[in-house]
Amino acid sequence: MARKEDIPFIKCQVCEKLAAQFHQQVRWKEAEIAPKKISELEIIQIAENLCNLKKKEADWILKIDIVEQGDKLKLVDQDSEGQCNSECKTIERACEEILGYSDTDVAEYIYKKKPQIETLVNFICKDLTEACVSKPPPVPKDRIPGEPFIAKSAKEAEIENLMKSMEGLPGAPGMKMYSREDLMRQNFGDEEDEEEDDDDDLASKLGKALKEKEEKKDNKYEWKEKIPRVLTEVAEKVKHHANRASFRLKKWLRSWKNKGQENKKKKKKSSEL
């Protein structure tokens, strides 16, 4: 669970890292689809996932440790992803509070202005959200320290990245019925197994495990678990379409507002004449 009381101490740092990640991931997307130009909607999709730990775009959060230094909290970058406990969720919560409903505004700014990192940091953290306008308060002396940073094993990271990458693929909804622990118990990516049989790669083992577990499940129990998952997927799709509609509405309102301002200026000039 996120420690909401820690957010004021790290909000500015989270905002700076968020802005840097946003800038970097847009660059990665541009390189991926080149020579095609990135669309504003593609930038919005990055923004929607940047603070969601269930999405790969938020993996940057997993590589940060919150360290207490005197009366301050400092975000320290790590070389590998760590176990996601309260600190991880606190950074996610701070990220959500910063970006909030401004994700389309930031996406439009990046699409039109193509700013450098420093300019983007100032826009998000000072102009748009004021996350870095004032200094953070001192950390209370009686603050309970957070948990130590514990790096994930290579096997854990591989499984979680695989599950994220399979989201949205045909047959992938069934993946949500299995926890990371379920998949870990199948010993995917075991080095000894790889040495014994090079042909048994991770994907084939995963497919076999899913098939075996499906055969063991009772149909009634299976549907009890599947129905909430299906509803979640439908909700995600509705949210996506709602975001697109909201984005178009915002653009129309801005255009309407700008036209209104222009008409007022014209009327003022004509009255002066």
Side-chain angles (χ1 to χ4, degrees):
M1 184 179 293
R3 295 176 61 170
K4 297 179 185 178
E5 66 275 10
D6 280 352
I7 292 178
F9 312 122
I10 63 172
K11 198 167 189 177
C12 178
Q13 296 176 74
V14 172
C15 188
E16 291 171 342
K17 290 185 179 295
L18 160 66
Q21 274 295 319
F22 205 159
H23 186 275
Q24 182 64 64
Q25 292 194 31
V26 170
R27 298 287 85 81
W28 287 340
K29 186 65 178 180
E30 287 176 330
E32 179 186 335
I33 63 175
K36 180 184 174 183
K37 290 186 177 180
I38 191 169
S39 68
E40 190 170 352
L41 183 58
E42 286 173 316
I43 299 176
I44 289 174
Q45 288 171 342
I46 294 174
E48 289 174 347
N49 297 333
L50 209 53
C51 301
N52 184 352
L53 283 165
K54 295 179 181 179
K55 305 293 184 179
K56 61 182 179 62
E57 287 86 352
D59 284 350
W60 62 277
I61 296 175
L62 299 172
K63 292 185 176 183
I64 299 176
D65 185 23
I66 300 178
V67 179
E68 192 168 330
Q69 294 185 350
D71 63 351
K72 298 178 181 178
L73 292 183
K74 185 176 180 182
L75 302 187
V76 180
D77 292 323
Q78 304 295 313
D79 294 330
S80 59
E81 294 180 4
Q83 302 286 352
C84 186
N85 296 307
S86 66
E87 290 190 352
C88 169
K89 291 179 174 64
T90 301
I91 297 172
E92 179 189 38
R93 180 62 178 266
C95 183
E96 290 172 345
E97 287 188 10
I98 293 164
L99 207 52
Y101 295 105
S102 303
D103 52 358
T104 54
D105 295 320
V106 180
E108 182 181 22
Y109 180 78
I110 292 175
Y111 180 73
K112 291 183 176 179
K113 303 293 185 180
K114 297 178 175 54
Q116 296 299 314
I117 292 181
E118 295 79 8
T119 306
L120 184 60
V121 169
N122 286 331
F123 175 73
I124 298 176
C125 305
K126 294 182 179 179
D127 300 335
L128 192 64
T129 67
E130 299 185 350
C132 293
V133 171
S134 57
K135 290 184 178 181
V139 177
K141 293 182 180 180
D142 60 351
R143 174 186 177 270
I144 300 174
E147 68 274 355
F149 183 88
I150 302 175
K152 291 180 186 175
S153 67
K155 186 187 295 184
E156 287 176 305
E158 186 178 16
I159 290 295
E160 291 187 8
N161 289 334
L162 180 62
M163 292 178 72
K164 289 177 183 178
S165 68
M166 290 184 70
E167 279 194 22
L169 295 177
M175 281 289 295
K176 296 180 182 178
M177 295 174 61
Y178 307 98
S179 66
R180 177 169 59 85
E181 289 72 21
D182 288 333
L183 299 178
M184 288 288 291
R185 282 195 288 270
Q186 299 298 326
N187 293 321
F188 299 130
D190 191 285
E191 293 180 0
E192 293 181 3
D193 288 344
E194 289 176 358
E195 291 175 359
E196 291 173 2
D197 189 356
D198 293 332
D199 293 331
D200 279 343
D201 58 15
L202 186 62
S204 64
K205 290 180 183 178
L206 180 58
K208 183 180 178 181
L210 293 176
K211 184 178 179 181
E212 289 176 355
K213 192 151 189 175
E214 286 288 348
E215 290 173 353
K216 293 178 182 178
K217 277 185 172 286
D218 177 78
N219 286 336
K220 184 177 179 181
Y221 176 74
E222 178 181 338
W223 277 105
K224 280 184 178 180
E225 288 211 343
K226 276 189 176 180
I227 288 173
R229 306 300 181 187
V230 171
L231 291 175
T232 300
E233 289 166 21
V234 171
E236 286 293 327
K237 289 180 180 179
V238 170
K239 179 185 175 183
H240 173 70
H241 289 296
N243 285 338
R244 292 186 67 175
S246 174
F247 165 66
R248 289 172 181 165
L249 179 60
K250 283 182 180 180
K251 290 192 76 173
W252 180 84
L253 287 173
R254 286 194 191 99
S255 175
W256 179 79
K257 185 178 180 181
N258 291 336
K259 286 181 180 178
Q261 290 175 344
E262 288 175 5
N263 291 333
K264 284 183 180 179
K265 288 179 181 179
K266 288 179 181 178
K267 287 180 181 179
K268 186 177 181 181
K269 284 183 180 179
S270 61
S271 63
E272 289 175 353
L273 295 173

